[in-house]
Amino acid sequence: MSGKKLRILQVNKAYYPHVGGIESLVKQYSEELSYFDNVEVKVLACRSERGKTFHEKINGIDVTRAGSLGTYFSCPLSFSFLSLFRKMAKNADVVHIHLPVPLTDAALLLAGFRGRVVVSWHSDIVKQKKLMMFLRPLIKKTLKRADCILAATKGHIDGSDFLPQFREKCRIIPYGITPEDYLSVKRVPFLTQKCTDKSSIRVFFTGRLVYYKGADVLLKAFAKVKGCELFLAGTGELENQLKEYAKSHGLENKVHFLGFLPDKQLKQAYADCDIFVLPSVVKSEAFGIVQLEAMIYGKPVINTSLPSGVPYVSIDGETGITVPPCNEDALADAINRLASDRELREKLGKNASERVIKHFNEKNVIREIYGVLSENAD
């Protein structure tokens, strides 16, 4: 690649400032890859709302948002995305596709692109089971066409309905965070000052309040927890239902709904909690970057034994406790166990911080991503 730019096209259904875990990753990859001297990054995404195609530059990255007819079944409907993919792929050395996005599968099939294709497989489609009858052949064509498939953990491969048959193409590169971005934030008693009882053990959850996150299971478990107060950061379709449950079960003094937290306050909440909980109930939760964000602050994590990457991030008995999904009794027992044993919390938290620094440092991750994307480049 001496003297020649490696032209990378990043493709996802949405891009920053759209809020979402995958959108944050695509932004992170795009910006960090552009720091390499010999790399040029462009992004193709889609408008989630109705509207025409437009182009913009965000933090130095050229972003094209294809016109859309709206979003259906969590996927944008866009004909211009198909033509833009064909046009932009012709001018790329490697196309990096983030799946699952059925629109992207269709675009790749129709484009006739002959260059290198790298797929980042973030999760299976879980909810739209009837739709999967039609999408399955399309997804398999994409995976067959791919030169390389990136998965964040072994669990992404083993727990997938698709990846095991393409195992020889798969490479495991985890998601990462930059520890300095978290450890440099000023520590304040962000949660403590909101406690009803300042001596309570502070249990923290953050995420969208939607079905697969398991916040409803967490609330049911919390009715059986002693000496703790729960803080939930996030919004979503279940928010009012969860608030009603807390009120009707006498949990108002033990459960605090924080709503959306800006980045700085979110980090302060991680730093001030005693226990972090990720109670997700289905494998739509494929990794849980929030685990890393809590772990870097030395917090033990309670997660669930999903057939995904979640239990590979925080390890049962090493950096936290793993419980069966949808099991409120096991979740309550895990919270009570950690809440009553400060020495255990500190031991698991220390291991958690060390694990992030060793295995999930973003500086190492982006070098691995670059290595895969630049393979076989002239």
Side-chain angles (χ1 to χ4, degrees):
M1 289 297 297
S2 58
K4 181 184 175 184
K5 290 276 189 181
L6 174 66
R7 300 168 300 174
I8 301 170
L9 176 62
Q10 294 278 352
V11 183
N12 189 46
K13 69 178 180 181
Y15 192 74
Y16 178 86
H18 181 93
V19 177
I22 305 308
E23 286 70 35
S24 297
L25 276 172
V26 178
K27 176 179 180 288
Q28 184 173 297
Y29 290 165
S30 299
E31 293 180 5
E32 292 177 352
L33 286 167
S34 71
Y35 296 153
F36 288 87
D37 291 335
N38 66 327
V39 170
E40 173 187 281
V41 179
K42 293 188 177 182
V43 172
L44 173 61
C46 200
R47 298 184 67 151
S48 55
E49 76 289 354
R50 284 177 172 266
K52 296 181 179 180
T53 297
F54 70 96
H55 308 271
E56 61 182 328
K57 186 162 274 194
I58 300 178
N59 294 339
I61 303 298
D62 288 321
V63 179
T64 298
R65 299 186 196 271
S68 170
L69 297 175
T71 299
Y72 304 89
F73 301 103
S74 302
C75 184
L77 178 60
S78 171
F79 295 105
S80 58
F81 183 91
L82 303 177
S83 58
L84 283 165
F85 183 98
R86 177 190 290 267
K87 179 182 177 182
M88 296 177 72
K90 283 182 180 178
N91 295 315
D93 298 303
V94 56
V95 174
H96 187 188
I97 295 171
H98 298 266
L99 297 181
V101 183
L103 183 63
T104 303
D105 293 306
L108 179 63
L109 178 65
L110 296 172
F113 178 64
R114 296 179 178 275
R116 182 168 174 78
V117 175
V118 174
V119 168
S120 276
W121 185 266
H122 298 292
S123 73
D124 284 22
I125 296 174
V126 176
K127 199 172 183 180
Q128 288 88 16
K129 293 183 179 179
K130 291 183 179 179
L131 197 59
M132 281 305 297
M133 294 174 59
F134 303 97
L135 297 180
R136 189 176 300 275
L138 191 59
I139 293 170
K140 285 188 175 181
K141 282 183 180 293
T142 298
L143 296 175
K144 186 176 181 180
R145 167 64 181 85
D147 295 285
C148 181
I149 301 167
L150 301 182
T153 69
K154 184 175 180 290
H156 279 70
I157 302 171
D158 295 341
S160 171
D161 295 333
F162 294 91
L163 295 192
Q165 62 184 296
F166 299 100
R167 195 180 295 272
E168 73 283 354
K169 289 185 180 183
C170 293
R171 296 195 196 179
I172 295 174
I173 300 181
Y175 305 141
I177 63 172
T178 302
E180 297 80 8
D181 291 347
Y182 292 82
L183 300 178
S184 62
V185 172
K186 183 180 178 181
R187 304 285 185 104
V188 297
F190 183 79
L191 300 180
T192 303
Q193 62 192 7
K194 302 177 190 302
C195 281
T196 303
D197 179 352
K198 298 296 189 288
S199 66
S200 295
I201 297 298
R202 300 171 297 280
V203 180
F204 185 48
F205 162 92
T206 182
R208 288 187 297 142
L209 301 180
V210 294
Y211 82 100
Y212 74 86
K213 290 291 186 178
D216 56 332
V217 181
L218 178 55
L219 279 188
K220 291 174 184 176
F222 220 75
K224 306 170 186 178
V225 167
K226 298 178 181 178
C228 298
E229 294 186 33
L230 173 64
F231 298 84
L232 299 99
T235 60
E237 59 194 39
L238 298 182
E239 184 173 355
N240 290 334
Q241 179 181 323
L242 294 170
K243 287 180 177 178
E244 281 297 319
Y245 183 92
K247 183 177 180 180
S248 63
H249 286 76
L251 297 173
E252 289 177 288
N253 291 330
K254 293 177 61 176
V255 178
H256 309 272
F257 291 87
L258 306 178
F260 171 79
L261 290 183
D263 182 68
K264 182 179 179 181
Q265 291 184 347
L266 183 60
K267 289 173 178 172
Q268 290 171 339
Y270 283 123
D272 192 39
C273 77
D274 296 298
I275 302 166
F276 182 77
V277 183
L278 184 69
S280 305
V281 297
V282 295
K283 65 179 181 180
S284 298
E285 188 73 79
F287 186 89
I289 290 177
V290 291
Q291 296 185 97
L292 301 182
E293 295 180 309
M295 290 163 68
I296 192 61
Y297 287 114
K299 308 301 176 178
V301 171
I302 299 174
N303 60 16
T304 51
S305 55
L306 295 171
S308 72
V310 168
Y312 289 79
V313 178
S314 177
I315 309 296
D316 183 37
E318 180 181 326
T319 60
I321 298 175
T322 300
V323 300
C326 301
N327 190 322
E328 61 192 74
D329 290 330
L331 183 54
D333 288 346
I335 296 172
N336 282 325
R337 180 184 172 196
L338 287 177
S340 63
D341 192 336
R342 179 174 180 175
E343 186 176 330
L344 178 61
R345 292 200 307 272
E346 291 178 349
K347 174 187 173 184
L348 297 177
K350 181 175 182 292
N351 292 343
S353 178
E354 291 173 351
R355 178 166 170 77
V356 173
I357 292 170
K358 183 177 180 180
H359 297 288
F360 301 99
N361 191 315
E362 178 60 22
K363 292 177 182 177
N364 300 327
V365 170
I366 201 63
R367 279 195 290 266
E368 290 191 62
I369 295 285
Y370 170 77
V372 171
L373 294 177
S374 62
E375 279 182 10
N376 304 322
D378 295 329

mmCIF file of all heavy atoms in Angstrom, residues 306-330:
data_model
loop_
_atom_site.group_PDB
_atom_site.id
_atom_site.type_symbol
_atom_site.label_atom_id
_atom_site.label_comp_id
_atom_site.label_asym_id
_atom_site.label_seq_id
_atom_site.Cartn_x
_atom_site.Cartn_y
_atom_site.Cartn_z
ATOM 1 N N LEU A 306 -26.503 -15.915 28.350
ATOM 2 C CA LEU A 306 -27.099 -15.942 27.013
ATOM 3 C C LEU A 306 -26.202 -16.694 26.037
ATOM 4 O O LEU A 306 -24.972 -16.713 26.205
ATOM 5 C CB LEU A 306 -27.302 -14.513 26.506
ATOM 6 C CG LEU A 306 -28.303 -13.646 27.268
ATOM 7 C CD1 LEU A 306 -28.227 -12.204 26.776
ATOM 8 C CD2 LEU A 306 -29.711 -14.184 27.092
ATOM 9 N N PRO A 307 -26.778 -17.290 24.977
ATOM 10 C CA PRO A 307 -25.962 -17.900 23.922
ATOM 11 C C PRO A 307 -25.457 -16.829 22.971
ATOM 12 O O PRO A 307 -25.764 -16.792 21.782
ATOM 13 C CB PRO A 307 -26.962 -18.853 23.234
ATOM 14 C CG PRO A 307 -28.283 -18.182 23.413
ATOM 15 C CD PRO A 307 -28.231 -17.519 24.761
ATOM 16 N N SER A 308 -24.665 -15.928 23.522
ATOM 17 C CA SER A 308 -24.097 -14.803 22.760
ATOM 18 C C SER A 308 -22.764 -14.458 23.393
ATOM 19 O O SER A 308 -22.194 -15.258 24.136
ATOM 20 C CB SER A 308 -25.058 -13.598 22.808
ATOM 21 O OG SER A 308 -25.057 -13.007 24.096
ATOM 22 N N GLY A 309 -22.274 -13.257 23.135
ATOM 23 C CA GLY A 309 -20.983 -12.867 23.685
ATOM 24 C C GLY A 309 -21.034 -12.326 25.092
ATOM 25 O O GLY A 309 -19.984 -12.109 25.709
ATOM 26 N N VAL A 310 -22.235 -12.102 25.630
ATOM 27 C CA VAL A 310 -22.377 -11.447 26.938
ATOM 28 C C VAL A 310 -21.562 -12.119 28.037
ATOM 29 O O VAL A 310 -20.770 -11.458 28.729
ATOM 30 C CB VAL A 310 -23.873 -11.343 27.332
ATOM 31 C CG1 VAL A 310 -24.018 -10.949 28.804
ATOM 32 C CG2 VAL A 310 -24.576 -10.325 26.439
ATOM 33 N N PRO A 311 -21.693 -13.443 28.259
ATOM 34 C CA PRO A 311 -20.934 -14.053 29.360
ATOM 35 C C PRO A 311 -19.445 -14.222 29.070
ATOM 36 O O PRO A 311 -18.693 -14.652 29.955
ATOM 37 C CB PRO A 311 -21.618 -15.419 29.543
ATOM 38 C CG PRO A 311 -22.242 -15.729 28.229
ATOM 39 C CD PRO A 311 -22.631 -14.407 27.642
ATOM 40 N N TYR A 312 -19.006 -13.882 27.847
ATOM 41 C CA TYR A 312 -17.582 -13.934 27.515
ATOM 42 C C TYR A 312 -16.891 -12.619 27.874
ATOM 43 O O TYR A 312 -15.668 -12.546 27.914
ATOM 44 C CB TYR A 312 -17.379 -14.215 26.027
ATOM 45 C CG TYR A 312 -17.722 -15.623 25.602
ATOM 46 C CD1 TYR A 312 -19.044 -16.004 25.402
ATOM 47 C CD2 TYR A 312 -16.733 -16.579 25.401
ATOM 48 C CE1 TYR A 312 -19.375 -17.294 25.018
ATOM 49 C CE2 TYR A 312 -17.049 -17.871 25.011
ATOM 50 C CZ TYR A 312 -18.376 -18.229 24.829
ATOM 51 O OH TYR A 312 -18.691 -19.515 24.448
ATOM 52 N N VAL A 313 -17.676 -11.579 28.099
ATOM 53 C CA VAL A 313 -17.103 -10.279 28.434
ATOM 54 C C VAL A 313 -16.757 -10.235 29.915
ATOM 55 O O VAL A 313 -15.615 -10.013 30.302
ATOM 56 C CB VAL A 313 -18.076 -9.138 28.060
ATOM 57 C CG1 VAL A 313 -17.484 -7.783 28.455
ATOM 58 C CG2 VAL A 313 -18.371 -9.164 26.556
ATOM 59 N N SER A 314 -17.750 -10.440 30.746
ATOM 60 C CA SER A 314 -17.510 -10.559 32.186
ATOM 61 C C SER A 314 -17.674 -12.023 32.565
ATOM 62 O O SER A 314 -18.714 -12.633 32.307
ATOM 63 C CB SER A 314 -18.504 -9.693 32.970
ATOM 64 O OG SER A 314 -18.304 -9.859 34.362
ATOM 65 N N ILE A 315 -16.636 -12.582 33.166
ATOM 66 C CA ILE A 315 -16.560 -14.019 33.406
ATOM 67 C C ILE A 315 -17.085 -14.387 34.789
ATOM 68 O O ILE A 315 -16.670 -13.804 35.794
ATOM 69 C CB ILE A 315 -15.101 -14.516 33.267
ATOM 70 C CG1 ILE A 315 -14.489 -14.038 31.936
ATOM 71 C CG2 ILE A 315 -15.033 -16.029 33.395
ATOM 72 C CD1 ILE A 315 -15.162 -14.588 30.716
ATOM 73 N N ASP A 316 -17.980 -15.365 34.817
ATOM 74 C CA ASP A 316 -18.566 -15.828 36.072
ATOM 75 C C ASP A 316 -17.479 -16.292 37.044
ATOM 76 O O ASP A 316 -16.617 -17.106 36.695
ATOM 77 C CB ASP A 316 -19.528 -16.985 35.790
ATOM 78 C CG ASP A 316 -20.248 -17.475 37.041
ATOM 79 O OD1 ASP A 316 -20.598 -16.638 37.887
ATOM 80 O OD2 ASP A 316 -20.452 -18.703 37.159
ATOM 81 N N GLY A 317 -17.513 -15.743 38.242
ATOM 82 C CA GLY A 317 -16.558 -16.134 39.268
ATOM 83 C C GLY A 317 -15.209 -15.454 39.162
ATOM 84 O O GLY A 317 -14.375 -15.582 40.067
ATOM 85 N N GLU A 318 -14.982 -14.727 38.081
ATOM 86 C CA GLU A 318 -13.697 -14.031 37.884
ATOM 87 C C GLU A 318 -13.870 -12.526 37.951
ATOM 88 O O GLU A 318 -13.118 -11.831 38.650
ATOM 89 C CB GLU A 318 -13.099 -14.426 36.531
ATOM 90 C CG GLU A 318 -11.765 -13.764 36.236
ATOM 91 C CD GLU A 318 -11.212 -14.153 34.871
ATOM 92 O OE1 GLU A 318 -11.431 -15.311 34.439
ATOM 93 O OE2 GLU A 318 -10.574 -13.301 34.230
ATOM 94 N N THR A 319 -14.846 -11.994 37.229
ATOM 95 C CA THR A 319 -15.073 -10.554 37.218
ATOM 96 C C THR A 319 -16.502 -10.206 37.643
ATOM 97 O O THR A 319 -16.877 -9.035 37.618
ATOM 98 C CB THR A 319 -14.816 -9.963 35.811
ATOM 99 O OG1 THR A 319 -15.714 -10.581 34.873
ATOM 100 C CG2 THR A 319 -13.388 -10.221 35.369
ATOM 101 N N GLY A 320 -17.286 -11.221 37.976
ATOM 102 C CA GLY A 320 -18.661 -10.986 38.377
ATOM 103 C C GLY A 320 -19.398 -12.301 38.556
ATOM 104 O O GLY A 320 -18.780 -13.345 38.770
ATOM 105 N N ILE A 321 -20.716 -12.236 38.451
ATOM 106 C CA ILE A 321 -21.557 -13.426 38.602
ATOM 107 C C ILE A 321 -22.486 -13.516 37.394
ATOM 108 O O ILE A 321 -23.090 -12.524 36.983
ATOM 109 C CB ILE A 321 -22.401 -13.358 39.897
ATOM 110 C CG1 ILE A 321 -21.488 -13.303 41.132
ATOM 111 C CG2 ILE A 321 -23.344 -14.554 39.992
ATOM 112 C CD1 ILE A 321 -22.245 -13.111 42.448
ATOM 113 N N THR A 322 -22.601 -14.702 36.817
ATOM 114 C CA THR A 322 -23.494 -14.951 35.688
ATOM 115 C C THR A 322 -24.675 -15.789 36.162
ATOM 116 O O THR A 322 -24.482 -16.807 36.832
ATOM 117 C CB THR A 322 -22.755 -15.680 34.546
ATOM 118 O OG1 THR A 322 -21.655 -14.868 34.106
ATOM 119 C CG2 THR A 322 -23.689 -15.934 33.372
ATOM 120 N N VAL A 323 -25.882 -15.342 35.822
ATOM 121 C CA VAL A 323 -27.098 -16.044 36.241
ATOM 122 C C VAL A 323 -27.922 -16.397 35.005
ATOM 123 O O VAL A 323 -27.743 -15.816 33.941
ATOM 124 C CB VAL A 323 -27.942 -15.174 37.199
ATOM 125 C CG1 VAL A 323 -27.146 -14.823 38.447
ATOM 126 C CG2 VAL A 323 -28.439 -13.907 36.500
ATOM 127 N N PRO A 324 -28.842 -17.358 35.122
ATOM 128 C CA PRO A 324 -29.704 -17.686 33.981
ATOM 129 C C PRO A 324 -30.593 -16.496 33.617
ATOM 130 O O PRO A 324 -31.048 -15.770 34.513
ATOM 131 C CB PRO A 324 -30.552 -18.859 34.495
ATOM 132 C CG PRO A 324 -29.795 -19.409 35.663
ATOM 133 C CD PRO A 324 -29.095 -18.239 36.278
ATOM 134 N N PRO A 325 -30.864 -16.271 32.337
ATOM 135 C CA PRO A 325 -31.765 -15.183 31.953
ATOM 136 C C PRO A 325 -33.190 -15.445 32.430
ATOM 137 O O PRO A 325 -33.594 -16.604 32.589
ATOM 138 C CB PRO A 325 -31.680 -15.164 30.423
ATOM 139 C CG PRO A 325 -31.182 -16.516 30.036
ATOM 140 C CD PRO A 325 -30.332 -16.988 31.167
ATOM 141 N N CYS A 326 -33.926 -14.378 32.697
ATOM 142 C CA CYS A 326 -35.346 -14.458 33.107
ATOM 143 C C CYS A 326 -35.544 -15.126 34.464
ATOM 144 O O CYS A 326 -36.661 -15.537 34.793
ATOM 145 C CB CYS A 326 -36.181 -15.195 32.062
ATOM 146 S SG CYS A 326 -36.157 -14.442 30.433
ATOM 147 N N ASN A 327 -34.484 -15.232 35.257
ATOM 148 C CA ASN A 327 -34.587 -15.900 36.555
ATOM 149 C C ASN A 327 -34.419 -14.855 37.665
ATOM 150 O O ASN A 327 -33.314 -14.531 38.082
ATOM 151 C CB ASN A 327 -33.523 -16.988 36.674
ATOM 152 C CG ASN A 327 -33.725 -17.878 37.891
ATOM 153 O OD1 ASN A 327 -34.119 -17.415 38.954
ATOM 154 N ND2 ASN A 327 -33.454 -19.160 37.724
ATOM 155 N N GLU A 328 -35.545 -14.328 38.135
ATOM 156 C CA GLU A 328 -35.504 -13.243 39.120
ATOM 157 C C GLU A 328 -34.918 -13.695 40.451
ATOM 158 O O GLU A 328 -34.245 -12.906 41.136
ATOM 159 C CB GLU A 328 -36.887 -12.652 39.321
ATOM 160 C CG GLU A 328 -37.918 -13.647 39.852
ATOM 161 C CD GLU A 328 -39.330 -13.122 39.757
ATOM 162 O OE1 GLU A 328 -39.875 -13.078 38.635
ATOM 163 O OE2 GLU A 328 -39.876 -12.771 40.817
ATOM 164 N N ASP A 329 -35.140 -14.959 40.826
ATOM 165 C CA ASP A 329 -34.608 -15.459 42.096
ATOM 166 C C ASP A 329 -33.081 -15.538 42.059
ATOM 167 O O ASP A 329 -32.404 -15.134 43.016
ATOM 168 C CB ASP A 329 -35.196 -16.831 42.426
ATOM 169 C CG ASP A 329 -36.677 -16.772 42.785
ATOM 170 O OD1 ASP A 329 -37.097 -15.732 43.322
ATOM 171 O OD2 ASP A 329 -37.396 -17.739 42.506
ATOM 172 N N ALA A 330 -32.549 -16.075 40.963
ATOM 173 C CA ALA A 330 -31.087 -16.172 40.833
ATOM 174 C C ALA A 330 -30.461 -14.782 40.773
ATOM 175 O O ALA A 330 -29.377 -14.554 41.334
ATOM 176 C CB ALA A 330 -30.731 -16.972 39.582
#
